[in-house]
Amino acid sequence: MPKLNECYLDIKESYLFAEISRRVSEYEKNNPGKDIIRLGIGDVTLPLSKRVLDALHKGVDDQGDPSTFKGYGPEQGYGFLREAVSGYYGSNGVDIDPDEIFISDGAKSDTGNITELFDRDNTILVPDPVYPVYVDTNIMGGKSVKYMAGNEENGFLPMPDPKVHADVIYICSPNNPTGAVYDKERLTKWVDYALDNHAVILFDSAYEAFIDDPSLPRSIFAIEGAKKCAIEFCSLSKTAGFTGTRLGYTVIPKDLVFPTSRGGQMSLHAMWFRRQSTKFNGASYIVQRGAAEVFTKEGMEECRANIAYYKENAKIISEALDANGIWYTGGKNSPYIWFRCPHGMGSWEFFDRLLNEVQVVGTPGEGFGDNGKGFFRLTAFGERERTKEAMKRMEKILQ
């Protein structure tokens, strides 16, 4: 009889979005024909840009020609894409060596798999509320997790406590689920804390392309000293609509070297290279061809047009909340809007009222942690007219 990984008994029985799907499916079964507007899961609705599509088609053609056919590629990604990502960082004032960039099938995979590099005997610090993957993947590996409170008082941007030691720290900015964004001063305090504690920051920048304010860092590597204490994850899911196409990248500086119990040293860069070489055969060549086009001047302009569309949706949602005097974060440099539920309602209570009374689906804040109780998340990734209709329907509940 095999001994199973009983750490799975310690995670929630149902992933947050699976529970949302269950409730919506049950409602649809009992109310056939009802028009439901979904502003819950952060999935995009606009199609891939023309230049990306052309590049994907070119990638397909390459696979049909013996002179350009590609079999197994480098596990860390093709050089042409790593160079393109490095150039993108450079255009934002950050110097990243292409050899420090690892191409993957998405940030979700990498933020979960990165836990394999760290021993169980570490203090893992995550914000609350938090993207569930950070917590669940650590618990699956038998690691214990400590929480730092995000709340209305600190704008859902928790700061380091010098009395609390951490070895691994998760930070997401712009944040999922709250939409809050760390400024340079606050992010510098986290880098300083990590350096003082010899800790590693796992920085999720999946929504960096939504930042318009030039004073807000789009990469943790814009902060001095971060290359000695941080790993960054990013994705084209929201930047370029790759939620179904799947492409992400992780930056692991070669400076991340730590002592071992055996008296030597280990490099996180070398460890991740070894891990990926063993367990991952690389992202699709075709998809990497499409991704490279995102980072051209013309490709980025097309992607930014789609981002502008979503940001206008966020503005529509934010204005509805403003009109009803409801406190919120996000909506300006983020595709997420996080707000206090009206009339003292609980998160799931508000979810059920929206679904049953006005047929709008969002995400209960409680599903992201205890500090999400009484809060709710809407996304700006819906279609324009559907977003307007959703806010019109919600008016009577928000008042």
Side-chain angles (χ1 to χ4, degrees), residues 51-53 55-56 59 80-81 236 242 285-295:
R51 294 187 70 91
V52 168
L53 283 175
L56 290 171
F80 65 81
L81 181 53
L236 294 190
F242 273 49
Y285 166 76
I286 296 168
V287 173
Q288 290 192 60
R289 272 294 170 204
E293 188 61 33
V294 171
F295 298 104

Side-chain angles (χ1 to χ4, degrees), residues 179-287:
V181 186
Y182 280 98
D183 59 25
K184 187 172 183 178
E185 180 182 0
R186 293 181 180 182
L187 206 52
T188 297
K189 289 182 179 179
W190 271 115
V191 169
D192 291 343
Y193 170 88
L195 292 171
D196 289 343
N197 284 267
H198 305 287
V200 175
I201 295 173
L202 303 181
F203 189 79
D204 187 345
S205 65
Y207 307 96
E208 56 84 20
F210 284 79
I211 295 177
D212 286 334
D213 186 340
S215 70
L216 299 175
R218 296 173 64 172
S219 166
I220 196 167
F221 299 121
I223 307 300
E224 185 176 356
K227 287 186 179 181
K228 295 182 178 180
C229 67
I231 294 172
E232 182 160 289
F233 307 89
C234 202
S235 165
L236 294 190
S237 288
K238 308 311 191 298
T239 300
F242 273 49
T243 51
T245 310
R246 308 307 307 145
L247 198 291
Y249 50 92
T250 295
V251 180
I252 305 185
K254 294 179 181 179
D255 288 345
L256 294 177
V257 177
F258 295 91
T260 71
S261 62
R262 303 180 187 182
Q265 290 185 322
M266 293 183 75
S267 158
L268 286 175
H269 181 278
M271 291 172 70
W272 187 246
F273 188 98
R274 186 68 173 86
R275 189 267 174 203
Q276 293 297 82
S277 299
T278 302
K279 296 188 176 185
F280 184 57
N281 267 337
S284 158
Y285 166 76
I286 296 168
V287 173

Side-chain angles (χ1 to χ4, degrees), residues 46 209-212 238-239 300-316 331-332 334-335 380-382 384:
L46 294 177
F210 284 79
I211 295 177
D212 286 334
K238 308 311 191 298
T239 300
M300 187 55 66
E301 286 175 354
E302 290 184 349
C303 291
R304 293 206 179 282
N306 285 358
I307 291 172
Y309 178 95
Y310 294 133
K311 294 191 75 170
E312 181 62 26
N313 284 350
K315 182 180 178 182
I316 291 169
K332 293 179 176 62
S334 166
F381 291 117
R384 176 65 44 74

Side-chain angles (χ1 to χ4, degrees), residues 135-150:
V135 175
D136 291 351
T137 53
N138 275 288
I139 293 177
M140 288 173 181
K143 299 178 179 67
S144 60
V145 173
K146 287 187 176 181
Y147 296 94
M148 47 182 168

Side-chain angles (χ1 to χ4, degrees), residues 29-30 58 72-73 96-97 106 117 122 128 158 182 206 209 226 233 236 270 278 284 376 394:
K29 180 181 178 181
N30 296 327
K58 175 62 167 58
Y72 289 122
I96 298 293
D97 189 321
L117 304 191
N122 279 300
D128 177 355
Y182 280 98
F233 307 89
L236 294 190
T278 302
S284 158
F376 206 77
M394 288 175 59

